Amino acid sequence: MLIGDSTDFAIEVMVEPALKVPSAVWGRMCVHVGGTTLGDFSDQYCALYPAYGNFDWHAKRVDRLWDTVFNGMTPEEIHDTVRHAIYGDDDRTMDEIQRDSRRFSPFDFLTNWGEQFDGYSSVIVAPAPETVMVLHRPYVQLDSPRRLPDDFLAASCSRDGFCRAAREFVAWFDHEAKRLQQKDA
């Protein structure tokens, strides 16, 4: 199922057909941002709940996806600032690491959102009122089929398209979770 517009923002998702009731929602998923695909739709039996929770969270807070520290930065600098603040290994104190993590974790995108996104760790920001931008630097091995051909990617979509697809995905997931718990499904 394609939720949204793949040339703007869309979530491609399916439940594994062989699931037996009762079951959690296991399936396949990827996202399309401005014509770029992130995630591995061919990866079977992936956990979809982490993506469900994160899309629900982001759709409700997309208006807060900017930090003043990003003003004047290039997309690559924004990406690297967020990734370093959350995952950097340096001489910051524990208090500084916790502070930076709280400040920048809202911009973390796809990290630990399910096996379908292994190797896809991106940053999401809203640099303008109508725009959402996903910044991606691959960290998977060069020979991995999951690696995108570019060393850095900045893909944009409309804020409305992102929010609509995220909300529709959350509703779809809720429906599937309920269906997979019913004995006579």
Side-chain angles (χ1 to χ4, degrees):
M1 164 179 265
L2 187 66
I3 301 169
D5 176 355
S6 63
T7 62
D8 185 30
F9 187 86
I11 300 168
E12 191 170 355
V13 64
M14 69 174 273
V15 169
E16 293 301 333
L19 291 180
K20 304 281 187 231
V21 174
S23 176
V25 183
W26 297 96
R28 303 172 197 200
M29 175 184 224
C30 66
V31 297
H32 304 276
V33 186
T36 297
T37 301
L38 297 172
D40 184 356
F41 194 77
S42 68
D43 197 347
Q44 301 176 17
Y45 291 94
C46 296
L48 299 180
Y49 183 79
Y52 161 81
N54 282 290
F55 273 119
D56 187 39
W57 189 90
H58 277 1
K60 293 174 182 171
R61 291 166 183 84
V62 73
D63 60 322
R64 299 183 203 143
L65 287 177
W66 191 254
D67 190 291
T68 56
V69 75
F70 302 152
N71 293 342
M73 288 185 176
T74 67
E76 285 186 80
E77 290 169 333
I78 293 169
H79 175 278
D80 294 347
T81 296
V82 171
R83 301 297 301 158
H84 175 76
I86 300 171
Y87 302 106
D89 184 14
D90 55 26
D91 60 356
R92 290 176 291 166
T93 67
M94 186 54 70
D95 287 341
E96 291 169 328
I97 291 169
Q98 290 172 340
R99 180 202 64 218
D100 289 348
S101 183
R102 278 190 304 275
R103 181 177 181 180
F104 292 102
S105 64
F107 308 106
D108 202 14
F109 189 67
L110 304 180
T111 308
N112 299 319
W113 286 27
E115 301 87 339
Q116 67 275 19
F117 296 117
D118 285 353
Y120 294 91
S121 184
S122 304
V123 169
I124 186 169
V125 293
E130 300 301 318
T131 306
V132 171
M133 184 182 294
V134 175
L135 311 173
H136 177 76
R137 185 184 311 279
Y139 68 89
V140 296
Q141 297 171 329
L142 288 173
D143 61 347
S144 170
R146 290 181 180 226
R147 187 176 178 97
L148 298 177
D150 299 318
D151 288 332
F152 183 79
L153 170 78
S156 296
C157 63
S158 71
R159 184 183 300 225
D160 288 344
F162 176 84
C163 289
R164 186 176 0 207
R167 285 190 304 267
E168 288 178 24
F169 168 69
V170 168
W172 172 87
F173 184 95
D174 286 338
H175 176 267
E176 290 300 308
K178 184 177 180 181
R179 181 184 68 80
L180 288 167
Q181 293 305 310
Q182 296 175 352
K183 298 276 189 229
D184 32 41

